[in-house]
Amino acid sequence: MKIQKYLIYSLSLFLFACNDFLEEKPSKTTSLVPETTGHLESLLNDYSSFYLEENSTASFSSDDFGLYRELYEAKNSVYNISTVEFATWDMEYLPAASRDAFWTTEYKKIFTANMILDYLPEVKGDESTKALLRAEAHLIRAYSMWVLANTYCLPYSDINKQEPGLVLKLSTNFEESMKRASLEKTYDQIEKDLQEALKINVDLTMVNGKYKIWRASLPAVHAFAARYYLFMNNYNEALKYADLALKKHADLVDYNTEMRYSTQKRTVIINGQEVEIKYPHTFDNQNDMNDKLGWKEFYYFRMLNNSFWWYVPSKELLASYDHQYDLRYKYHFVLNYSYDMGVISPAYEWPGYVFFFKDRIPSGPTVAEMILIKAECQAREGDYTAAMNTVNLLRAKRMSNDAPRTVINLSAESPKEAISQILAERRREMPFTMRWFDIRRFNNNDYPDDDVILTKEFYPYTNSSIRGNEPLRTYRLEKQSRRFAQPILTTEIESSRGEIEQNKY
């Protein structure tokens, strides 16, 4: 049944909520039917409906996240059961995890994109505006499908092409099939949408002193295309689109001059002594969006969101930074963060990774990501000298000006060494947001030297509690584990009347 009326425009706000988004039909109460392209523009301008990505797999499942007995024993509420399940790649209890909203929220974005595409032939407006809206809707759909596929499906490879992919919702018709397409057809659809999105003909413009990153632009589509083709191991195409994005927008934040500590002093008393907790200035405004929208490296505004407010860095992640000269370590790894999270009786110090407030990290394509994609592609294609020159453009803005030039600039004597250096830099630049996706990619390309096997050591648990009185257990995720696809919620499967197929493990 085609939806004729839907609440999409009321004082420039789009208000829609339902429990099982793919299946529940919308209300047709006092809604207004969109009649002009301006109504659809208002829908897309509501960036609060699009920018957050509450992806617990990205936040907790990679080796960037630290799961430690010592922290748990100091304050057992540091890790709730859901966090532990994601961190140890659970398959038994996660299907019933009520806190996993990622599938639903990304399909809401897809539904919005489909609604725009459905209404475009009917609304009033000039054809050039309609063409821009059409291209933007395809970008929204492609982007959400990509993050969903890289969370709930097995990694793309020749071996996995016929494995279950996504439910391909391409219209607002609620009678559309809920069966999962193959992984190959899923990626074919993402690429079709990407090709439509590439028809957009607007540059990344400035509005009130900020780049208009909450709306689509050609550089934004180029940046997403570079990411897409990198994960398809198509290095020529990834390099081409990274270059195109950088030609239009290459502004980097210089951490020497543009990053600083917050002026809001935060202290806690530990063992009778006052201890200061120093946050970056980007921490200051939880609800004010100016700093977030003003982060000039964005091409497209998306942020990973962690509602538990602690990206616990692993020992391995912490050790990957130069603690003296890397300004990302200085500003984003907040020492004594555990005290601010209540780990004070007994006191146990552990840092937290902080970017915007305590919960949000840039996850949409950025200038830094494009530089890293370009460098990686150059290295994988054998041009390792050019690759190191490229990656050092980023390091010049991230390392202290006081550092020796041999510290600021990475060097390599072979493609293999260059790839290793660049992938390490990629991890330092984009912890949590891209690491899980990257591990999936590394384990399924034709280059064995970047493979990653994940291990965690922690207590056993049930679906309701951590068994802290039992011996520690080693959790291990092998290179080709089927658990690289997150389980789909049981509620989604039930609401589809069994059409949606659960991942097999």
Side-chain angles (χ1 to χ4, degrees):
M1 177 185 67
K2 182 177 179 180
I3 300 170
Q4 298 296 329
K5 292 184 179 180
Y6 192 62
L7 182 57
I8 67 168
Y9 181 72
S10 177
L11 301 176
S12 298
L13 294 177
F14 174 62
L15 303 176
F16 176 62
C18 64
N19 293 326
D20 298 308
F21 190 83
L22 285 176
E23 188 66 18
E24 185 170 329
K25 295 177 172 58
S27 168
K28 294 184 180 180
T29 55
T30 58
S31 58
L32 295 175
V33 177
E35 297 177 346
T36 68
T37 53
H39 293 166
L40 300 180
E41 292 272 11
S42 297
L43 173 61
L44 293 177
N45 281 329
D46 182 19
Y47 56 79
S48 64
S49 298
F50 296 98
Y51 88 95
L52 287 179
E53 298 175 346
E54 184 100 21
N55 189 342
S56 295
T57 287
S59 294
F60 307 128
S61 295
S62 81
D63 51 0
D64 284 349
F65 184 76
L67 183 67
Y68 296 122
R69 169 185 60 83
E70 297 86 353
L71 265 176
Y72 173 78
E73 290 179 350
K75 187 179 178 67
N76 59 25
S77 61
V78 163
Y79 301 116
N80 65 29
I81 190 63
S82 177
T83 300
V84 174
E85 289 168 357
F86 278 104
T88 58
W89 319 293
D90 174 68
M91 294 172 276
E92 182 178 0
Y93 305 124
L94 269 181
S98 61
R99 292 194 66 102
D100 178 29
F102 189 57
W103 174 280
T104 301
T105 54
E106 290 305 311
Y107 270 109
K108 284 183 180 180
K109 299 172 191 178
I110 290 170
F111 186 91
T112 302
N114 289 339
M115 183 157 43
I116 291 168
L117 293 171
D118 281 359
Y119 274 110
L120 272 174
E122 303 173 14
V123 298
K124 298 176 183 177
D126 62 81
E127 291 305 313
S128 61
T129 301
K130 288 186 177 184
L132 293 177
L133 289 169
R134 184 176 296 108
E136 184 163 2
H138 282 289
L139 175 61
I140 291 168
R141 191 165 71 186
Y143 191 98
S144 288
M145 282 187 178
W146 188 87
V147 294
L148 284 168
N150 277 274
T151 303
Y152 295 97
C153 306
L154 289 174
Y156 187 86
S157 68
D158 287 338
I159 295 174
N160 291 335
K161 280 183 179 180
Q162 299 311 311
E163 292 284 352
L166 295 178
V167 178
L168 297 182
K169 301 297 285 186
L170 305 180
S171 74
T172 55
N173 185 345
F174 278 82
E175 305 306 320
E176 201 172 12
S177 173
M178 299 289 289
K179 291 183 178 180
R180 297 172 68 180
S182 69
L183 194 61
E184 182 176 29
K185 289 183 178 179
T186 296
Y187 276 83
D188 285 347
Q189 182 59 50
I190 295 171
E191 188 163 20
K192 286 179 184 177
D193 280 327
L194 174 57
Q195 293 304 316
E196 289 298 316
L198 284 167
K199 296 176 182 178
I200 198 167
N201 62 357
V202 295
D203 285 331
L204 185 59
T205 57
M206 300 283 284
V207 177
N208 297 324
K210 295 179 177 63
Y211 287 110
K212 195 176 179 181
I213 56 176
W214 59 93
R215 294 292 300 274
S217 66
L218 186 57
V221 182
H222 285 156
F224 174 66
R227 181 190 289 184
Y228 172 82
Y229 285 112
L230 178 71
F231 279 77
M232 299 291 284
N233 302 316
N234 187 336
Y235 304 123
N236 287 329
E237 287 296 287
L239 177 59
K240 179 182 82 173
Y241 284 111
D243 263 334
L244 286 171
L246 289 166
K247 284 177 183 176
K248 289 293 187 178
H249 177 51
D251 289 355
L252 283 170
V253 174
D254 189 337
Y255 275 47
N256 286 279
T257 59
E258 297 178 87
M259 281 296 286
R260 61 187 184 277
Y261 283 121
S262 169
T263 58
Q264 300 178 16
K265 185 177 180 180
R266 300 174 75 89
T267 60
V268 63
I269 303 300
I270 301 296
N271 299 324
Q273 301 293 317
E274 184 178 85
V275 177
E276 184 177 5
I277 305 171
K278 299 174 73 173
Y279 284 94
H281 76 94
T282 51
F283 162 83
D284 290 350
N285 299 310
Q286 179 181 3
N287 298 315
D288 187 339
M289 297 297 292
N290 282 315
D291 279 351
K292 302 167 189 65
L293 291 170
W295 189 254
K296 65 182 181 181
E297 295 189 8
F298 268 121
Y299 290 98
Y300 197 50
F301 187 45
R302 293 290 186 271
M303 285 199 182
L304 181 65
N305 184 60
N306 174 7
S307 59
F308 297 115
W309 287 14
W310 194 352
Y311 294 96
V312 181
S314 67
K315 296 173 185 177
E316 182 183 357
L317 178 63
L318 290 167
S320 70
Y321 293 84
D322 184 314
H323 291 196
Q324 181 176 1
Y325 294 119
D326 196 324
L327 299 179
R328 292 167 297 195
Y329 179 82
K330 175 180 179 179
Y331 290 114
H332 292 308
F333 289 88
V334 176
L335 304 182
N336 305 317
Y337 186 88
S338 54
Y339 300 152
D340 204 16
M341 296 299 287
V343 189
I344 56 177
S345 183
Y348 188 86
E349 194 283 325
W350 200 259
Y353 184 82
V354 173
F355 212 111
F356 288 106
F357 190 60
K358 297 179 177 181
D359 53 354
R360 280 157 284 183
I361 308 175
S363 58
T366 64
V367 172
E369 183 185 353
M370 293 306 105
I371 290 173
L372 289 164
I373 289 176
K374 179 177 180 178
E376 182 181 340
C377 292
Q378 289 171 322
R380 291 193 186 273
E381 294 295 305
D383 193 357
Y384 64 91
T385 300
M388 301 318 291
N389 290 336
T390 299
V391 75
N392 287 333
L393 296 173
L394 174 63
R395 285 180 64 84
K397 303 297 184 181
R398 298 301 195 248
M399 305 299 288
S400 171
N401 287 337
D402 296 330
R405 305 315 296 177
T406 53
V407 172
I408 295 175
N409 293 319
L410 299 175
S411 61
E413 300 299 323
S414 67
K416 179 178 178 180
E417 188 178 354
I419 291 170
S420 177
Q421 294 264 33
I422 291 163
L423 296 186
E425 189 67 17
R426 181 178 171 89
R427 184 179 184 184
R428 287 188 288 266
E429 180 63 28
M430 300 183 290
F432 299 99
T433 57
M434 296 301 294
R435 181 62 177 172
W436 175 259
F437 299 156
D438 277 340
I439 293 171
R440 288 164 44 97
R441 172 167 68 97
F442 299 156
N443 288 348
N444 287 274
N445 61 20
D446 58 1
Y447 184 77
D449 289 332
D450 60 9
D451 292 352
V452 178
I453 294 174
L454 297 171
T455 60
K456 300 276 179 75
E457 189 175 73
F458 198 66
Y459 294 108
Y461 53 86
T462 67
N463 63 340
S464 59
S465 65
I466 298 168
R467 294 179 171 176
N469 59 342
E470 296 186 12
L472 293 172
R473 174 184 169 184
T474 298
Y475 299 86
R476 183 179 174 92
L477 195 66
E478 299 291 347
K479 171 185 172 181
Q480 294 299 330
S481 172
R482 296 185 66 84
R483 180 52 186 83
F484 275 105
Q486 180 189 318
I488 298 170
L489 288 182
T490 301
T491 53
E492 296 293 340
I493 295 171
E494 291 173 347
S495 71
S496 74
R497 298 177 179 87
E499 277 196 273
I500 297 177
E501 176 187 354
Q502 181 61 276
N503 291 317
K504 292 181 173 61
Y505 301 106

